[in-house]
């Protein structure tokens, strides 16, 4: 479900964001998605879903193609999540991570948000964007 958000003077459907993880950074735009209700079951945080192509720009392949948590260093392993996502009537499990930080840029202001990041390796439809930003993660920041 994709719904435009009404501001005081314009409709806001996308947001610029930056993710930092393990001394790597990526910056992109995300579609603001009010239908993204996915939550990290451990941290109970909203989940920013990114496409595999975007993940490849800043994450090592061993995380993106994760098959065994024991292949990761202890410090990294603690920051990996398995995120259950219901899609098209079935439950999928995405690899997720707790980033160093996620920042959104709203009216040239930098605002930190608290989300878990999940990687969609299945090629979902993101409306032409590389990420789906949960509205619940940014609703206070957009005000």
């Amino acid at each position: 479900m994709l719904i435009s958000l009404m501001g005081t003077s314009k409709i806001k459907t996308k947001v610029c964001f930056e993710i930092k993880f393990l001394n790597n950074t990526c910056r992109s735009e995300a579609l603001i998605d009010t239908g993204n209700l996915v939550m990290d079951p451990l941290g109970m945080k909203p989940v920013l879903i990114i496409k595999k192509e975007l993940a490849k720009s800043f994450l090592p392949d061993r995380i993106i193609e994760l098959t065994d948590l024991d292949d990761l260093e202890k410090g990294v392993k603690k920051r990996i999540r398995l995120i259950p996502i219901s899609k098209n009537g079935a439950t999928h499990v995405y690899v997720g991570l707790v980033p160093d930080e996620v920042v959104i840029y709203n009216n040239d202001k930098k605002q930190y948000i608290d989300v878990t990041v999940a990687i969609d390796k299945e090629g979902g439809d993101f409306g032409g964007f590389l990420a789906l930003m949960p509205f619940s993660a940014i609703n206070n920041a957009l005000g």
Side-chain angles (χ1 to χ4, degrees), residues 83-102:
I83 310 288
I85 295 179
S86 294
K87 187 167 86 172
N88 300 326
T91 299
H92 304 263
V93 178
Y94 286 5
V95 172
L97 55 100
V98 177
D100 299 325
E101 65 183 38
V102 177

Side-chain angles (χ1 to χ4, degrees), residues 31-48:
L31 180 66
I32 298 172
D33 185 4
T34 58
N36 177 356
L37 304 176
V38 179
M39 296 293 284
D40 174 350
L42 290 179
M44 295 311 295
K45 295 188 254 183
V47 176
L48 166 63

Side-chain angles (χ1 to χ4, degrees), residues 5 9 17 35 37 41-42 44-45 60 66 76 79 89 105 110 114 135 141 143:
L5 307 174
S9 62
F17 69 93
L37 304 176
L42 290 179
M44 295 311 295
K45 295 188 254 183
L66 185 65
V76 174
R79 298 175 60 192
Y105 295 90
K110 186 175 178 177
D114 195 17
F135 176 68

Side-chain angles (χ1 to χ4, degrees), residues 2 31 33 49-53 85 87-88 92 94 119-132:
L2 306 175
L31 180 66
D33 185 4
I49 304 171
I50 64 172
K51 286 193 170 218
K52 184 177 179 179
E53 302 91 87
I85 295 179
K87 187 167 86 172
N88 300 326
H92 304 263
Y94 286 5
I119 305 163
D120 176 11
K121 296 187 288 187
E122 299 173 4
D125 180 17
F126 289 26
F129 291 87
L130 293 175
L132 292 176

Side-chain angles (χ1 to χ4, degrees), residues 21-83:
F21 185 73
L22 300 178
N23 298 317
N24 295 313
T25 303
C26 83
R27 191 170 182 170
S28 188
E29 287 185 329
L31 180 66
I32 298 172
D33 185 4
T34 58
N36 177 356
L37 304 176
V38 179
M39 296 293 284
D40 174 350
L42 290 179
M44 295 311 295
K45 295 188 254 183
V47 176
L48 166 63
I49 304 171
I50 64 172
K51 286 193 170 218
K52 184 177 179 179
E53 302 91 87
L54 182 60
K56 284 183 168 284
S57 73
F58 75 105
L59 292 174
D61 283 340
R62 70 182 192 279
I63 292 176
I64 298 169
E65 301 299 338
L66 185 65
T67 55
D68 186 357
L69 278 174
D70 291 331
D71 291 341
L72 300 174
E73 302 85 23
K74 185 177 180 180
V76 174
K77 189 186 312 187
K78 288 182 175 183
R79 298 175 60 192
I80 299 300
R81 303 284 188 264
L82 297 178
I83 310 288

